[in-house]
Structures are given as structure tokens and as C-alpha cells.
Amino acid sequence: MTPYPRSTFTLFIALAASLCAAQTPAQPSDSGPQVSARARAIHDSAIVVDTHADTPQRFLDEGFDIGSTDANDIGHISLDKARRGNLGAEFFSIWVDPETNQGHFAQHTFDLIDSVYQQAAHHPDRMMMAFSVADIERAHKEHKLAALMGIEGGHSIENDIHLLRDYYRLGVRYMTLSWSNTNEWADSSGDINDAKVQHHNGLTDFGKQVVLEMNRLGMMVDISHVADKTFWDTIATTKAPVIASHSSARALVDAPRNMTDDMLRAVAKNGGVVQVNFFSGFDDQTFFNRAKAQSKDQDAAIQKYVDHLKADGKPVTFVDMDRIEREWMAMIPRPPFHVLIDHIDHIAKVAGVDHVGLGSDFDGVSGATPMGMDSAADLPKITQSLLDRGYSKADIDKILGGNLLRVFAQVERVSESSGHWAVASGQ
């Protein structure tokens, strides 16, 4: 999901247009390379895995059908777009807005999980639910999109380890320990400098229990969004490799959500993988700076809109928020395509090529992706760009999905060796 707190960056209003009515600057011309026959062949032979798409918000709030063939649809994910980009497996984000779902985090989590199942049920010839590496490989052989799920934000478990187990039984295969909000057991990078928020200096004892239980279940531990101390506590606690489902490199863009080089090296030592986020604000420093500079106006606009909704007794919907957020994002020029590749390249050089992958944040950044990355159909441009930078077919296969599959398989093995069966079978 858009990686700023909802209080800062999602509840945008139509006032955006009047606040920044100046003409939008000309866009950069770099929209990515032309894909050669060789690159296309390499790309199409790989199992391409993306670990973060917020499309379930569209399923639930908009009634969006992933089988849509609407040429005017501005979303990043559809079955057609996935097929054109040879997207083999998508981890759909189960993200519960902590502000608008107070008191019913779990209920909304279940609703989002159900929305993914419903899509798979409506398109059994092109999409299937997947729960393991073997399922992803089977879906690839059957030319179907493997649909997996990851919970984005530990507040979804409502401080109850039993709910964590229930989510696993329903198919959730990773959980981000925190979203942009600090919860009762894990500090977030999103509010770590907010003195009004009670922090824990990383993970609490219960938070460490959550990590170990995820290891036992076979649920990947996701450290995107967490505060730096939470990251280090997690690395010290986990018995299995971790993932960063949608994070980029802080050495290139100084955003708290990105990972430092020391963190990248720690993930490599842990055996994990960092899945690069496609959000322009994490991939381009100029975009990040511009977004930060306009945040005060955005906050004022947010409050006006929320007050207006309250006065009219209307709910805050994802559809309206995404439309308005797109207006704000469109005020900042999109960066060139190569900034995305720069992050992949940097992480490959610092952590090693075995520890980098793709975590797009599709449908969660309101169109704010680099030039030329407009949907899953554009994924082959990544392969071409990596070829152009001298990466081999074997290394490109790793980046496109092989590294994530290796980590997922290792997490499964750790679970199998730690008594997962008793929990999964309800005993």
C-alpha cells in the first residue's frame, strides 16, 4: 500500500487540484527500453514472482474483476496484463487501514482474504490459489496466475497468536510485522519519530513470539515498513530467512522505508531477499523530496475532506481516495525508468544477486511508478534493462522470481523441522 501513513498520504481530496493548479512540468522521456526477442525469451521462460500488489482493495471496495478487459482501466493488475508481462505469481496484499477499521481489523482482514478467493473462483481457467512453492510451479506449468496472499501490518492479528494461525490456514504466506503504524508489539518506520506514539524500542517479547510462530507455521517474516530497531530485533530472532516484500535502497533514496546497506548485507547473511518497490517516492530522491514538500498542504486537504465526510455521514472509500491521491501524485513528474533498475542493481551489488527480487506495490501507489512501468504488462522491460547492464540469464531468473522461491522453500523447510504439522492440523 502507498507507503506513507494514511493520515499523511492517502486521504487526499479534490481540493488538490486547486492547491496546485500550476501546469505539470514536462515528463522525462525515458520510459524504458524496447524489449528484444532475446529478452522476451528469457523473460517468458522464467517464473516471475511479485510479492506485493494492493489489488484486493479494488476487489472489495470497487467490485473490480481481475478478468477485466477494459482498455481504459488504469489499474496495474489484471489477468490480461499479467499474461502480457508473464507474471506467474502474485502475492496480493491484505492491507487493513488502521484508521478506518478501528475495532474490526480481523473482520476486514477476512473480507479481503475472501475477495482474493472469489477472484480465483471466477477465473479457474486462468488463476488459482497457491499456498506453496510447489503450487506456484504447478500454476506455471498450467499457464495460470498463482494467487498468494500476504498480510500488510501486524495489527491484523489483534495481538492474538490464534488469529495468526487462522490466517495461515486460510493461505496467508507472509506478514509484514508493521505497516506505517506502530502496533502493540512492533515499531514502524512510519511513525518512529512521532512523540505522540508509544514505541517499544523494536520488538516486544510478544513480537518476538510472533516471529518465531511465523517460522513454525511456514509464514515468511516481512520486514518492509518496520523501524530500524525492529529490523535488527527480527534478524536476531528469526530462525528462517526474512523478506522485504516491497522495499528499495536507502543509499539511493533517503526514505525511512528503504533499507540501508548494512540492512541489505544482514538480509544476505540471513539468507533472505529484498523485493524492490516500484513506487517513485522510494526510487527517486527528487520525487521523494517533492512529495515530502507538499505534505503540509496534503494534510490540510485531508482534514477538510474527512470533516466533510463526517458532516455528510459518508464512509471513506478506497476508490475515492485512490482517485484523489492520483491527482496529488500527478503533480510531481514521474522519474525515468532506469531509477527502478538502479535499485535492483544496487541491492544486487551490496547484498548479492541471490538476495534481490521484485515487490512492485502495484495498485497501491496511485499510479506513482517510473516512466514506462504502467502495469504488469511492462515487466519484460526489467529483463531487457538487466540484460543491457550485463546480467546473465541465470541471474535474471533469480531476480525475476528464483530468489523468492528459494527463500519460500527454505521457510517451508524450517517449518517442517519445527513441528508445523501439529499447528496446521489443529492439534
Side-chain angles (χ1 to χ4, degrees):
M1 199 60 219
T2 304
Y4 293 96
R6 279 279 154 179
S7 62
T8 302
F9 226 74
T10 302
L11 302 179
F12 303 127
I13 69 162
L15 179 62
S18 62
L19 288 174
C20 293
Q23 183 176 358
T24 301
Q27 299 294 324
S29 59
D30 180 6
S31 59
Q34 293 294 315
V35 179
S36 66
R38 180 184 176 217
R40 188 79 227 192
I42 291 172
H43 190 86
D44 286 351
S45 69
I47 300 180
V48 182
V49 182
D50 176 45
T51 47
H52 199 91
D54 279 290
T55 323
Q57 302 293 330
R58 300 192 69 197
F59 298 158
L60 194 61
D61 295 347
E62 187 180 336
F64 175 69
D65 180 355
I66 199 170
S68 172
T69 57
D70 181 2
N72 296 317
D73 176 51
I74 57 176
H76 288 133
I77 296 283
S78 72
L79 289 175
D80 283 353
K81 292 169 184 175
R83 178 61 57 86
R84 293 202 302 274
N86 190 41
L87 177 59
E90 182 61 65
F91 282 78
F92 289 103
S93 173
I94 307 301
W95 173 75
V96 173
D97 187 333
E99 295 183 8
T100 60
N101 291 282
Q102 285 289 338
H104 52 90
F105 294 157
Q107 180 60 59
H108 199 64
T109 303
F110 288 129
D111 289 345
L112 287 164
I113 289 171
D114 183 68
S115 76
V116 179
Y117 273 90
Q118 290 298 316
Q119 294 293 323
H122 292 158
H123 302 283
D125 56 330
R126 304 179 66 190
M127 177 180 179
M128 60 176 272
M129 297 301 299
F131 313 102
S132 64
V133 172
D135 285 345
I136 293 174
E137 292 171 341
R138 180 163 63 88
H140 179 69
K141 291 177 181 177
E142 296 179 7
H143 305 289
K144 296 178 181 179
L145 176 66
L148 300 101
M149 295 176 290
I151 285 176
E152 186 177 15
H155 57 281
S156 276
I157 71 169
E158 296 185 349
N159 307 312
D160 187 343
I161 211 81
H162 302 92
L163 270 176
L164 178 69
R165 295 170 186 161
D166 288 339
Y167 295 147
Y168 179 85
R169 294 184 185 106
L170 288 172
V172 172
R173 289 300 178 265
Y174 78 69
M175 183 173 72
T176 322
L177 299 182
S178 71
W179 181 60
S180 294
N181 59 304
T182 289
N183 54 49
E184 287 85 354
W185 47 271
D187 287 342
S188 167
S189 64
D191 61 15
I192 194 62
N193 295 317
D194 187 344
K196 298 188 297 294
V197 175
Q198 181 179 350
H199 294 107
H200 319 292
N201 191 31
L203 283 177
T204 67
D205 287 343
F206 178 72
K208 294 172 184 177
Q209 292 174 27
V210 169
V211 169
L212 292 173
E213 185 66 3
M214 291 173 70
N215 292 164
R216 191 163 80 99
L217 289 169
M219 185 184 291
M220 290 180 283
V221 176
D222 178 19
I223 48 75
S224 286
H225 278 290
V226 304
D228 290 4
K229 181 59 164 57
T230 306
F231 168 85
W232 292 109
D233 284 354
T234 302
I235 290 293
T237 302
T238 184
K239 306 300 182 184
V242 302
I243 67 169
S245 68
H246 57 310
S247 292
S248 296
R250 204 179 299 179
L252 301 185
V253 177
D254 189 18
R257 272 276 283 104
N258 285 346
M259 301 183 66
T260 68
D261 284 0
D262 283 346
M263 290 176 174
L264 298 178
R265 285 185 279 266
V267 169
K269 185 176 180 180
N270 161 267
V273 62
V274 177
Q275 306 285 104
V276 172
N277 195 311
F278 294 7
F279 175 51
S280 295
F282 293 159
D283 292 344
D284 180 72
Q285 189 69 52
T286 299
F287 193 103
F288 177 79
N289 292 344
R290 287 281 300 274
K292 190 174 181 180
Q294 70 182 27
S295 63
K296 287 186 178 180
D297 285 342
Q298 292 169 354
D299 287 344
I302 288 163
Q303 194 58 54
K304 273 194 174 184
Y305 188 56
V306 169
D307 292 345
H308 177 72
L309 287 177
K310 287 180 178 178
D312 289 351
K314 295 178 180 178
V316 177
T317 69
F318 172 80
V319 178
D320 288 339
M321 293 308 97
D322 185 65
R323 172 181 55 79
I324 295 163
E325 186 173 330
R326 285 176 183 273
E327 295 176 1
W328 282 96
M329 294 295 96
M331 296 170 194
I332 308 173
R334 293 172 70 181
F337 184 85
H338 73 78
V339 300
L340 170 59
I341 309 304
D342 292 345
H343 283 265
I344 297 173
D345 195 38
H346 179 85
I347 295 171
K349 286 180 168 62
V350 174
V353 75
D354 292 331
H355 305 286
V356 61
L358 308 179
S360 67
D361 217 346
F362 277 154
D363 287 329
V365 295
S366 298
T369 51
M371 290 285 288
M373 182 51 70
D374 297 320
S375 77
D378 293 312
L379 291 170
K381 294 179 183 179
I382 294 176
T383 296
Q384 181 65 61
S385 296
L386 293 172
L387 267 179
D388 293 343
R389 297 198 186 196
Y391 284 80
S392 67
K393 177 185 183 302
D395 286 346
I396 291 171
D397 285 345
K398 291 177 181 179
I399 294 168
L400 292 179
N403 289 334
L404 188 282
L405 294 177
R406 170 185 54 79
V407 169
F408 194 0
Q410 180 60 25
V411 169
E412 291 176 337
R413 286 192 290 272
V414 169
S415 172
E416 290 165 1
S417 68
S418 62
H420 160 76
W421 182 86
V423 174
S425 63
Q427 297 184 5

